[in-house]
Structure formats: C-alpha cells, structure tokens
Amino acid sequence: MPKKSFIFYLCIFCLLIACNRNTDLYRVVGVKDGDTMVLLSPENQTVTVRLAEVDCPEKDQAFGQSAKQFTSTLCFGKMVKLIANNKDRYGRTVGEVQLEDGTSVNKELVKNGYAWQYRAYSKSMELAMLEQQARLNRLGLWQDANPTPPWNFRKGEKQQRTEKKSRKTKRTYKKRRSRKHRDTVAF
C-alpha cells in the first residue's frame, strides 16, 4: 500500500512540475533592436518588452545593428523568463529577461559591450561593474574611442527634427508672404 501511495504522489508531483514549468516561460518571437523584443506568452499573447536598466545603441547608430544581432543570437526562438517591473510610456513591459539557465539578457548585453547601464533608471552596482569591465576590455561599442550614449543620440535626432521643422515653417511663411506681396503689387 505505501508503495502505491508513493508512486501516486510522485506522479502528481511530476505533473505539477511539468505544468508549472511552462506557465512562466515565454518564447522570443521577435527582436526589434538590442534592448526591445517581442515575447509570446503561454496564452499565445504577444508582449513587447523593453529591457530594464540597460540602453543599447539605436538601430542607425554605430553598433546598433550589432546589439540587435547579439540579442537575436542570444535568445531568438528560445524560451525565456520575464521578470516584469512596470510599463513605459509606449505601453511596453519593462523588465529583465532571463534564459532558461538563468542567464540575464540585460546583463549579457552590458557585459559584452552592446549596452550602457541606463543610469537614469538603474543604480545596480553589478551593471556598473560589468560596463566598466567591458570598457576596459574594449568590447563591442567600447572599441570606439568616444561612443555616443543612445540618450544623447536621441536628443541630437530630436533637435535635428525640430530644426528641420523650423526651417520648413520659415520657408512656408516666406512663400506665403511673397505671394501676398505679389497680390498687393499687382493692383
């Protein structure tokens, strides 16, 4: 009798582990850039995730495509665990993504020189040390003499867009003014 009970409870225990194992794992179905990916939940819902505490170069910035490729190679098509922190202003889930073996994608990006620690949102000493090691070893983006942080790159792009809009508005104003002037001169 005890042998049958043991086998019964062992089967129940194994079943619980098997069921529980898949409920918190997501499949990586897309990598938008180095620090943004699309996960498929166990309920077949897509979740766009922005990796917390790290910032990769933008796609059209130096090492942007390399960061995206690194992230893809590391986790595309694999099952991962999502440790969500919150949502950002774009509706993306912000969090840490871990491979099944516990490897943090966030930390691997910084460790291999494909991301900065995003100091505005992170106080992690571990990330700071990983970034310092990558800098010293001139890994990834640290091969450049003076790499531009993505937050500065984005500011520059925003400023260029604003200046372009301003120039366009001035041209439109001048055209309207010259037409008005022609109309008044013609009479």
Side-chain angles (χ1 to χ4, degrees):
M1 183 85 150
K3 195 174 190 180
K4 287 183 182 179
S5 294
F6 175 76
I7 292 173
F8 174 76
Y9 286 115
L10 181 63
C11 289
I12 296 294
F13 178 74
C14 290
L15 185 63
L16 286 173
I17 289 175
C19 290
N20 195 22
R21 183 169 178 242
N22 291 329
T23 58
D24 63 345
L25 292 180
Y26 296 72
R27 180 170 302 283
V28 179
V29 294
V31 176
K32 292 186 174 191
D33 59 25
D35 53 30
T36 308
M37 60 183 68
V38 180
L39 306 181
L40 186 65
S41 75
E43 297 82 29
N44 288 324
Q45 300 294 316
T46 58
V47 180
T48 301
V49 176
R50 169 67 169 80
L51 297 178
E53 301 186 63
V54 301
D55 202 3
C56 289
E58 296 298 316
K59 283 190 267 189
D60 50 350
Q61 186 179 358
F63 289 93
Q65 290 299 325
S66 299
K68 179 181 178 180
Q69 185 60 52
F70 181 83
T71 302
S72 291
T73 301
L74 187 62
C75 61
F76 183 77
K78 295 182 182 174
M79 299 302 286
V80 296
K81 182 177 181 182
L82 172 62
I83 303 167
N85 294 347
N86 54 19
K87 297 247 184 203
D88 67 8
R89 63 183 173 198
Y90 305 108
R92 300 175 298 190
T93 300
V94 178
E96 181 179 5
V97 172
Q98 295 178 349
L99 302 177
E100 283 187 281
D101 68 2
T103 302
S104 168
V105 174
N106 307 46
K107 291 174 185 172
E108 285 299 306
L109 280 161
V110 175
K111 178 181 174 182
N112 288 281
Y114 292 106
W116 278 260
Q117 175 191 19
Y118 206 167
R119 287 186 183 81
Y121 299 100
S122 171
K123 303 297 178 218
S124 168
M125 289 303 296
E126 183 179 6
L127 281 176
M129 290 176 14
L130 289 171
E131 182 181 312
Q132 188 59 34
Q133 265 319 110
R135 283 177 187 244
L136 290 172
N137 293 324
R138 302 185 60 76
L139 299 175
L141 62 93
W142 303 113
Q143 295 170 40
D144 277 358
N146 193 19
T148 302
W151 51 90
N152 290 345
F153 184 81
R154 288 188 293 267
K155 277 183 193 175
E157 280 190 329
K158 185 177 180 182
Q159 186 176 3
Q160 285 176 352
R161 284 192 306 269
T162 304
E163 288 171 1
K164 190 175 180 179
K165 254 186 196 176
S166 177
R167 286 192 301 266
K168 187 176 180 180
T169 304
K170 284 179 184 178
R171 283 193 304 254
T172 304
Y173 176 74
K174 284 181 181 179
K175 283 180 183 177
R176 285 186 194 151
R177 196 163 176 224
S178 65
R179 278 190 215 141
K180 210 177 210 183
H181 185 319
R182 277 192 316 239
D183 292 345
T184 57
V185 173
F187 287 103

